[in-house]
Amino acid sequence: MNTNSGAILVLSGPSGAGKSTLLNKIVDDIGACYFSISTTTRLPRKGEVDGVHYYFVNKEEFQKDIDENMFLEHANVHGNYYGTSLKPVREALKNGKLVIFDIDVQGNAVVTKRLGDITTSVFISPPKLSDLKNRLESRQTDTMEVIDGRLKMARNEIHRISEYDYLIINDDLEIAANTLKIIANAARLKIPGEDINEFSQKWEDID
Ligand code: 5GP
């Protein structure tokens, strides 16, 4: 049985829910991880670096990646395209890493369908829509129009929470971070179907 096989942790939730802050708090306590860097057609925000936060591409380049089957999943979010490249994810899984995705509900649905037996999904939400509005406004990175779009999308996403394994309400940062740490460490212990079969066959062998 391969106890070193990797696993996937999907994090979803509205921008402004605190996903990156929570991850930064627990990164040293969850073992070897690979943070998947998505490809997007959205323009970089102030402070965002190509190859660190996203791979920023134009629509033609994105379409080329779709045509060449480079994505594990891709989706249109707020009118921009976002996609998760398959190759680095495969590599990280092969090396026994916990692969972490920050993707939306559409992406989670695809990843769960394709790789459900090694995937654990978490939806992270602020306690209320008004908290989200305050957080987005105080971040000062988006125009009012963009913020309105994000709030609208958050309203829609909330109705799909039942598609996730866990919900974390990010009210108290310490408690939320500790909960995420526990889930991330447990995600590694999820046993792929084939390993269960192998184990149960070996377990039956009596000398
Ligand atoms: P933002 O533009 O605020 O960075 O991200 C907007 C939304 O797109 C977030 O909900 C984020 O989780 C989602 N997102 C980022 N990368 C991907 C991806 O590769 N695939 C999918 N499906 N969603 C993504």
Side-chain angles (χ1 to χ4, degrees), residues 21-35:
T21 313
L22 287 174
L23 264 183
N24 287 337
K25 273 184 91 69
I26 65 163
V27 68
D28 294 335
D29 301 318
I30 56 172
C33 319
Y34 167 71
F35 295 92

Side-chain angles (χ1 to χ4, degrees), residues 6 8 13 23-24 31 40 50 60 96 100 129 137 152 160 191 193 205-206:
I8 294 174
L23 264 183
N24 287 337
T40 184
D50 186 44
E60 288 71 32
I100 303 180
L129 193 64
E137 283 173 358
K152 201 167 145 216
R160 294 182 63 178
I191 315 168
D205 284 349
I206 298 172

Side-chain angles (χ1 to χ4, degrees), residues 15 38 42 45 54 73 82-84 102-104 107 150:
S15 328
S38 297
R42 139 163 114 56
R45 287 193 201 115
Y54 282 105
E73 63 75 39
Y82 295 82
T84 308
D102 174 348
I103 56 178
D104 81 328
R150 289 186 191 282

Side-chain angles (χ1 to χ4, degrees), residues 34-172:
Y34 167 71
F35 295 92
S36 168
I37 303 170
S38 297
T39 301
T40 184
T41 59
R42 139 163 114 56
L43 293 174
R45 287 193 201 115
K46 209 171 142 208
E48 282 183 335
V49 179
D50 186 44
V52 175
H53 299 93
Y54 282 105
Y55 296 110
F56 295 100
V57 298
N58 60 35
K59 281 197 178 133
E60 288 71 32
E61 289 169 307
F62 196 92
Q63 186 59 49
K64 190 165 169 274
D65 279 1
I66 296 178
D67 294 342
E68 291 174 359
N69 276 328
M70 301 294 265
F71 292 126
L72 168 62
E73 63 75 39
H74 61 89
N76 186 320
V77 186
H78 312 299
N80 294 306
Y81 292 95
Y82 295 82
T84 308
S85 294
L86 193 51
K87 207 170 149 210
V89 171
R90 272 215 193 105
E91 193 64 19
L93 286 173
K94 209 172 74 192
N95 291 328
K97 293 193 177 161
L98 180 67
V99 178
I100 303 180
F101 293 143
D102 174 348
I103 56 178
D104 81 328
V105 288
Q106 307 170 73
N108 176 54
V110 176
V111 172
T112 302
K113 195 165 167 215
R114 292 186 72 172
L115 296 165
D117 64 345
I118 55 164
T119 300
T120 300
S121 58
V122 187
F123 192 95
I124 299 174
S125 173
K128 284 196 192 146
L129 193 64
S130 52
D131 296 313
L132 185 62
K133 188 167 184 272
N134 293 340
R135 282 187 206 180
L136 288 174
E137 283 173 358
S138 63
R139 228 164 52 167
Q140 295 189 329
T141 49
D142 294 314
T143 60
M144 273 322 283
E145 199 190 340
V146 172
I147 290 177
D148 281 348
R150 289 186 191 282
L151 293 175
K152 201 167 145 216
M153 180 172 149
R155 269 205 195 95
N156 293 334
E157 289 202 330
I158 289 292
H159 296 294
R160 294 182 63 178
I161 285 180
S162 61
E163 295 174 27
Y164 287 78
D165 295 317
Y166 299 99
L167 165 66
I168 296 180
I169 296 168
N170 189 4
D171 192 0
D172 179 305

